[in-house]
Amino acid sequence: MADYKMDADHPGLAMDRGVQGVLGAGLDRSEGALKVSGAARYGYEHRVEGDVAYGYLITAPAAKGKVTGFDTDIARSLAGVIDIIVDDPRIPRQAAAFGPAHAGNDEIDHWDQVVGVAIADSFEAARDAARAVVVHVTGEVGKFDTMANVADANPPPKDSRLQDVAKGDIDAAMAAANASGGVTIDQVYTTPNQVHAAMEPHASVAVWDGDQLTLHSSLQILAVAKPVLAKAIGIPADEVRILSPYIGGGFGSKMLGPEAVLAAIAAQKIGRPVKIAMARAQLFHNIYRRTDTHQRIRLAADKDGKLLALAHDSIVSQCPDGGFMEPVALGSLALYEAPVRHFSHKVVTLDMVMAGAVRAPGEAVGTLALETAIDEMAEALGRDPIDFRKLNEPSVDPLTGAPFSTRALVECLDQGAEAFGWAKRAPTPGQLREGEWLIGMGVAAAVRINLLVDSEARVTLKPDGRALVETDMTDIGTGTYTILAQIAGEALGLPMESIDVVLGDTDLPPGAGSGGSFGAASAGSSVALACEDVVAVLADRMEAKPEDMTLKDGHAVAGNRRVPLGDLVGAEALVGKGKISQGSNAKTFSQAAHGAQFAEVAVNVVTGEVRVRRMLGVFEAGRILNAKLARSQAIGGMIWGIGYALMEDAVLDQRYGQFVNHDLGEYHIPSHADVPPLDVLFVEKIDRHANPIGVKGLGELSISGAGAAVTNAIYNACGVRVRDFPLTLDKVLAGLPEM
């Protein structure tokens, strides 16, 4: 096995010497035709042998209290009902993320909590039975308001990704700036509870064969889900197999939902395969949310615009024993130079569903506040927002002093300004008007920390000259099947049609999974390293050094010989294995991806309606593995940013702890009519310090800053600055001057 730990830059890979020309090319997704034709089967669609039963989750009509009993007689009497399971101690009380959820249904932790499951011969019968079960609850007074309970807030958990930082005296720095003719900003920005809103619901099919459990599901990180599921059910992990070849969106939510555990419990009890899909309304309360945030930003600058201090202090919420803390200030740590730096988080415990990772945890909501405050500071100083950001560009990590692995924020700002026509922006709000519409431009920086996690892969070169790539890595819609084939194709000199990729099966080598924008870097590096094993054997059989051998179009060329790969392989396939793991490079270098977001909006002077007219994102995310798929990822993130700026808000009924807009009809996300032409540019800098293949995360980077670019453009258009997200038209209208 080619086992590499990132304690130093990798000396070089076969894919770097490759001449096949597939790496980086904007190729179509290899599984695209299967998906658009309906041939790709997602978790709930999987067909299994046997008489399949259907489950529907039973939930509690309270947010806090104790369950005193169940009336199941009517439910059990309905036609087609097989069983009502409400007495199994393994019933999960919360969504499981990276560890088993608390089990048991005697205590109610949050509204609509799962307390059991109805099993029937049809989905409709199971649904009717679940709704016929009466859950008796002794209700208690719950806590649902973050700021009303802030006096009881706690510091970050000790194992949190982000701990509090205090470098210098922030209050003294603010006072000194004011006394010396500088400028200070001290504002609070708020974001609401948000949900993942993936189109595919959480769904699982459980099948038992003796003591062996097979789960067909839609899960992002199988190497984590397998032991968590095994522990929840009470069986050894080696008796569990999970298959998740296709995922219809997850955005951090599809770790292990209660439906997976209950499908396994039900199938075990009735001796038949069981399918369970969560209803959309159930997802809002039983799959973790992104917490609401209350962010105080303090900035101090001298009269020339140099930042003297930067503070980003946040209050977030969590359920009891939730563990995870939204790392709101994560992107702020090293984005701008300032000698005095202060970052803190406080966690308020509420009686709500667990708060967890939603796409771009930290930066997605943190940059909404920071990049709005940076815009406010630039205006107060009378400086162009781009020039102000460039003036405060650090040369090294301002918190740790570590050199940046790669950093091209200034290049992204400059290229974006030129391409977007920033010079045409009116510095004073309200200057450009088209009929009832005021026009404005906004900019924001984008940042996303770069991660690398353990990942393994196997690459087999067969006697017929075809290659097989295998790992339990998943494809969450990002194009994993395609980019792994491109990496192997470039390394082995094979066209794409000669490569097969198998993913999403825990019987395969444990991959990184999809999350944190680390999938391409981690899984891609393990595949590239596995190819090194194969190339070394091929070179030996060609009697050449690997670096002196060319692989192209299924042939090896060295010296005066050109040999088909199948001939070099012979009768027995060549198998290469690769493993990548993080090392000291993670501390030696400050690693993050950066970008610049630009937006143009129109604000209606009569109604306050906002229309985003165009956007441009310029991103530096290391090596671009596939130009088309990278652009698609970036566009998706920018659309997400539009939603956070203008629409997304899980509205909480403070009386009951219930989200009142718990469906896709009322939880508003951008539709086609809301999304303007989006353009994407890349500043490609291969980051050898980050991982062997030199890539950095992109999907979450493209959310960061997008919302702030929109809201900064709103201010430039009409002079209205709203700090309570999202900027719905009522909030904008309230600040518009009389026209």
Side-chain angles (χ1 to χ4, degrees):
M1 175 184 287
D3 187 347
Y4 196 80
K5 188 175 182 180
M6 283 303 296
D7 289 323
D9 300 355
H10 193 277
L13 294 162
M15 65 174 236
D16 296 318
R17 304 186 299 271
V19 295
Q20 188 62 34
V22 295
L23 195 63
L27 306 179
D28 292 343
R29 283 158 55 155
S30 56
E31 86 291 3
L34 295 176
K35 289 180 174 177
V36 299
S37 66
R41 290 181 183 163
Y42 292 82
Y44 195 76
E45 299 171 325
H46 193 84
R47 298 174 186 171
V48 297
E49 294 183 3
D51 189 9
V52 177
Y54 297 83
Y56 197 94
L57 302 182
I58 302 166
T59 59
K64 184 173 177 61
K66 292 182 172 56
V67 176
T68 59
F70 299 88
D71 284 344
T72 64
D73 291 346
I74 293 176
R76 293 181 186 278
S77 69
L78 297 177
V81 173
I82 300 170
D83 201 356
I84 306 293
I85 301 175
V86 292
D87 57 355
D88 194 301
R90 298 172 295 176
I91 293 172
R93 277 167 53 182
Q94 285 275 11
F98 292 96
H102 294 299
N105 60 356
D106 55 331
E107 298 278 347
I108 301 301
D109 295 330
H110 59 89
W111 181 269
D112 208 39
Q113 177 182 311
V114 172
V115 292
V117 62
I119 309 298
D121 288 329
S122 70
F123 168 80
E124 292 80 8
R127 180 190 59 198
D128 292 347
R131 292 175 175 175
V133 174
V134 179
V135 183
H136 296 286
V137 177
T138 300
E140 300 173 12
V141 177
K143 296 188 297 184
F144 313 121
D145 188 323
T146 299
M147 297 310 292
N149 295 279
V150 72
D152 299 325
N154 295 305
K158 290 183 178 180
D159 59 351
S160 171
R161 176 174 295 281
L162 184 60
Q163 296 297 309
D164 290 352
V165 173
K167 185 178 180 182
D169 189 328
I170 182 68
D171 293 322
M174 296 282 283
N178 285 326
S180 61
V183 174
T184 60
I185 292 288
D186 186 348
Q187 295 289 354
V188 174
Y189 306 82
T190 61
T191 63
N193 287 288
Q194 298 160 340
V195 299
H196 304 82
M199 214 167 19
E200 179 201 24
H202 289 59
S204 296
V205 183
V207 184
W208 287 87
D209 183 3
D211 295 331
Q212 302 290 316
L213 169 64
T214 298
L215 186 80
H216 302 271
S217 193
S218 182
L219 300 173
Q220 295 178 219
I221 305 178
L222 302 192
V224 171
K226 179 176 178 176
V228 170
L229 177 61
K231 189 170 183 178
I233 299 301
I235 61 175
D238 59 8
E239 294 181 355
V240 174
R241 182 186 184 190
I242 301 176
L243 294 108
S244 183
Y246 303 109
I247 303 172
F251 315 122
S253 71
K254 286 179 176 169
M255 296 305 182
L256 194 72
E259 96 292 341
V261 178
L262 284 167
I265 290 172
Q268 185 182 49
K269 184 173 183 181
I270 71 171
R272 290 167 57 180
V274 171
K275 286 187 172 190
I276 301 178
M278 293 183 69
R280 179 66 62 185
Q282 293 174 339
L283 290 172
F284 275 69
H285 295 104
N286 286 286
I287 298 300
Y288 47 84
R289 62 192 163 92
R290 193 200 296 275
T291 172
D292 54 322
T293 72
H294 307 261
Q295 308 177 45
R296 183 186 181 191
I297 304 287
R298 285 173 287 174
L299 301 173
D302 63 24
K303 61 180 182 297
D304 295 321
K306 289 289 289 184
L307 283 173
L308 304 174
L310 190 160
H312 194 165
D313 303 300
S314 300
I315 300 168
V316 299
S317 66
Q318 182 55 281
C319 71
D321 304 318
F324 174 88
M325 180 198 75
E326 181 82 22
V328 177
L330 198 57
S332 304
L333 297 179
L335 193 53
Y336 298 112
E337 180 65 83
V340 176
R341 315 179 71 75
H342 191 278
F343 308 100
S344 72
H345 292 72
K346 292 182 178 180
V347 185
V348 176
T349 301
L350 300 179
D351 298 305
M352 293 179 62
V353 69
M354 178 188 301
V358 182
R359 197 177 187 200
E363 292 97 336
V365 287
T367 57
L368 277 172
L370 178 66
E371 286 301 291
T372 300
I374 289 291
D375 204 68
E376 294 191 53
M377 179 63 99
E379 182 199 24
L381 288 161
R383 301 191 69 101
D384 178 87
I386 292 179
D387 291 341
F388 178 57
R389 288 173 169 83
K390 291 167 62 177
L391 178 65
N392 291 286
E393 171 73 2
S395 57
V396 296
D397 189 305
L399 193 62
T400 67
F404 295 111
S405 58
T406 61
R407 182 178 169 112
L409 176 55
V410 170
E411 292 177 57
C412 292
L413 287 166
D414 287 343
Q415 287 195 25
E418 177 67 25
F420 200 67
W422 184 256
K424 298 178 182 178
R425 171 183 176 269
T428 304
Q431 298 303 298
L432 299 179
R433 181 166 176 166
E434 297 177 4
E436 291 185 355
W437 300 89
L438 292 170
I439 313 302
M441 291 187 191
V443 67
V447 60
R448 172 63 184 168
I449 59 166
N450 189 62
L451 301 173
L452 181 69
V453 302
D454 290 359
S455 187
E456 297 182 28
R458 180 169 58 236
V459 174
T460 304
L461 186 59
K462 301 178 180 180
D464 60 1
R466 296 185 63 83
L468 174 64
V469 177
E470 296 174 295
T471 170
D472 82 354
M473 175 64 187
T474 53
D475 190 329
I476 198 170
T478 50
T480 307
Y481 283 99
T482 310
I483 63 168
L484 296 187
Q486 287 177 273
I487 290 169
E490 200 64 46
L492 301 177
L494 290 172
M496 292 288 286
E497 58 269 21
S498 295
I499 304 168
D500 300 306
V501 179
V502 179
L503 304 175
D505 183 344
T506 54
D507 281 357
L508 302 177
S514 299
S517 293
F518 52 64
S522 306
S525 291
S526 63
V527 169
L529 291 169
C531 290
E532 294 296 292
D533 270 5
V534 176
V535 170
V537 176
L538 294 175
D540 182 65
R541 294 180 181 181
M542 285 291 288
E543 299 179 353
K545 296 179 179 179
E547 60 268 25
D548 295 331
M549 178 179 65
T550 298
L551 299 174
K552 182 174 172 56
D553 295 334
H555 289 75
V557 180
N560 293 321
R561 299 174 62 204
R562 183 175 187 271
V563 183
L565 293 184
D567 292 352
L568 288 177
V569 171
E572 188 172 341
L574 299 181
V575 179
K577 297 180 181 179
K579 180 180 180 180
I580 185 65
S581 54
Q582 186 57 274
S584 60
N585 268 22
K587 294 184 178 180
T588 302
F589 298 95
S590 177
Q591 297 183 24
H594 295 87
Q597 304 268 17
F598 295 82
E600 179 182 283
V601 307
V603 180
N604 191 286
V605 298
V606 178
T607 66
E609 178 188 353
V610 175
R611 293 183 182 176
V612 182
R613 306 211 315 179
R614 60 190 180 102
M615 288 186 73
L616 167 67
V618 186
F619 305 107
E620 184 271 302
R623 185 200 296 267
I624 301 301
L625 297 172
N626 181 306
K628 178 181 289 188
L629 300 184
R631 182 175 185 275
S632 177
Q633 279 291 289
I635 287 174
M638 293 164 70
I639 294 171
W640 196 298
I642 294 172
Y644 275 7
L646 303 178
M647 303 169 189
E648 290 201 41
D649 183 357
V651 179
L652 189 69
D653 186 331
Q654 294 288 349
R655 299 170 300 171
Y656 306 114
Q658 176 188 21
F659 293 129
V660 297
N661 55 338
H662 48 240
D663 56 51
L664 293 186
E666 293 299 327
Y667 182 80
H668 294 159
I669 58 177
S671 65
H672 287 293
D674 302 307
V675 179
L678 304 181
D679 201 3
V680 177
L681 299 175
F682 294 110
V683 176
E684 187 171 21
K685 291 183 178 291
I686 297 175
D687 192 340
R688 299 294 186 183
H689 306 310
N691 49 73
I693 62 175
V695 308
K696 292 195 287 194
L698 174 61
E700 291 171 304
L701 170 67
S702 54
I703 301 173
S704 170
V710 171
T711 57
N712 289 340
I714 292 171
Y715 178 79
N716 181 246
C718 65
V720 176
R721 182 77 74 182
V722 180
R723 302 181 183 93
D724 177 27
F725 296 91
L727 274 66
T728 48
L729 61 84
D730 56 315
K731 297 175 186 176
V732 176
L733 183 62
L736 285 175
E738 293 294 331
M739 303 299 292

